[in-house]
Amino acid sequence: MELEWAVEFLKGMIKPVAALAVVAMAIALSYFQKLGLEWEMAYSIFRAFLQLSIIGFVLEFIFNQENAIWILMAYLFMVSVAGYTAGERAKHVPRGKYVAGASILVGTGITMFVLVVLHVFPFTPRYIIPVAGMMVGNAMTVTGVTMKKLRDDIKIQMNLVETALALGATPRQATLQQVKRSLVIALSPVLDNAKTVGLISLPGAMTGLIMGGASPLEAIQLQIVVMNMLMGASTVSSIMSTYLSWPSFFTKAYQLETKVFSAD
């Protein structure tokens, strides 16, 4: 039985291996254009190949379990990696990795809870883990951009913020415009994607269903749910990141924490 399973797995890997031909093309173009990206391309695709193969075996195991603890463990692992990655993007924000992780956890957790309560998705590994992965990945990008943009904008407009503080404004009031700008910039790609979905490209979830044999109408229904949940999770996560990160920009005396803005 195990041998048959291994044979089926190897047969299924024929197409992914064949698709390496287009990677070879990209590497060749990089070489002839003297971009110097050949090793990075090879390393990136090898890492993706290895990571996806491992996660495939892990998901195969989890999908066969009935204990909800495996769902929570997988979800928390994704949030941890996403928080670390978003924190790296906003590396000058104090405790950025923890802020990003907490923001992503809150945003995706609330969204997932609503979807489960409304019976949009059943609370099973086969549904929750892929859905959570999409939300966490999207929230990671939005949260990282929000935190970085907020810190950079406050640094550029330190004089305006300090003037507002001197006139009696609270830190939140003094940075209101910077907060709004960072949120608008971070959420713009999500909004643009929602506006153009189906017109420019077919999203991954919809494409996967169609290629798997589902009807286009069924694929559209799922994709609408996906777009809704991505917008909800991203908005909550990005707003939460501003509330959690801005206190570290100020001292207890409501003055700008200059050491936060001294680094480039």
Side-chain angles (χ1 to χ4, degrees):
M1 192 70 178
E2 292 183 0
L3 182 61
E4 293 179 1
W5 178 83
V7 171
E8 287 299 319
F9 175 76
L10 292 176
K11 287 182 178 179
M13 293 302 292
I14 293 176
K15 291 182 179 179
V17 171
L20 289 174
V22 294
V23 178
M25 176 185 66
I27 292 175
L29 289 173
S30 173
Y31 174 78
F32 287 115
Q33 291 296 317
K34 295 181 172 58
L35 301 180
L37 297 175
E38 298 84 7
W39 285 111
E40 186 171 354
M41 287 181 177
Y43 170 74
S44 298
I45 205 65
F46 170 77
R47 180 170 171 173
F49 189 91
L50 182 62
Q51 289 174 178
L52 289 174
S53 298
I54 293 174
I55 199 63
F57 287 109
V58 172
L59 290 178
E60 183 74 22
F61 170 78
I62 295 177
F63 285 177
N64 292 323
Q65 308 302 311
E66 297 182 358
N67 196 332
I69 192 66
W70 289 104
I71 300 178
L72 297 177
M73 288 176 62
Y75 170 61
L76 291 176
F77 175 77
M78 290 187 287
V79 170
S80 299
V81 175
Y84 178 86
T85 305
E88 282 291 296
R89 176 186 288 272
K91 58 184 177 180
H92 295 307
V93 176
R95 299 181 298 279
K97 296 180 179 64
Y98 299 102
V99 170
S103 301
I104 295 169
L105 180 64
V106 172
T108 58
I110 292 175
T111 306
M112 183 64 68
F113 177 77
V114 172
L115 294 177
V116 172
V117 169
L118 295 178
H119 301 289
V120 177
F121 294 114
F123 192 73
T124 60
R126 188 169 297 276
Y127 283 91
I128 297 301
I129 292 178
V131 168
M134 287 187 282
M135 286 196 297
V136 170
N138 212 66
M140 173 190 72
T141 302
V142 171
T143 300
V145 172
T146 300
M147 294 165 59
K148 184 179 186 303
K149 183 61 179 175
L150 176 58
R151 183 261 180 189
D152 291 346
D153 273 9
I154 293 177
K155 180 180 180 179
I156 293 172
Q157 299 179 325
M158 287 181 66
N159 291 335
L160 293 176
V161 175
E162 288 175 335
T163 299
L165 292 172
L167 293 175
T170 65
R172 189 70 182 182
Q173 291 170 335
T175 57
L176 184 60
Q177 294 304 315
Q178 289 78 16
V179 168
K180 287 183 177 180
R181 188 179 299 110
S182 65
L183 290 172
V184 169
I185 291 176
L187 291 172
S188 290
V190 179
L191 299 176
D192 291 342
N193 192 28
K195 293 175 184 176
T196 59
V197 64
L199 299 178
I200 298 176
S201 63
L202 298 181
M206 182 176 175
T207 302
L209 280 175
I210 293 175
M211 294 178 67
S215 72
L217 293 180
E218 290 176 328
I220 288 171
Q221 291 169 356
L222 177 62
Q223 189 58 49
I224 292 173
V225 173
V226 169
M227 296 306 302
N228 291 343
M229 72 183 190
L230 292 183
M231 186 173 297
S234 298
T235 303
V236 175
S237 296
S238 58
I239 292 176
M240 180 61 65
S241 70
T242 66
Y243 276 96
L244 294 180
S245 62
W246 70 261
S248 61
F249 298 152
F250 300 89
T251 65
K252 293 181 180 180
Y254 283 5
Q255 296 176 328
L256 281 174
E257 190 68 75
T258 54
K259 64 180 180 181
V260 175
F261 305 99
S262 58
D264 295 328

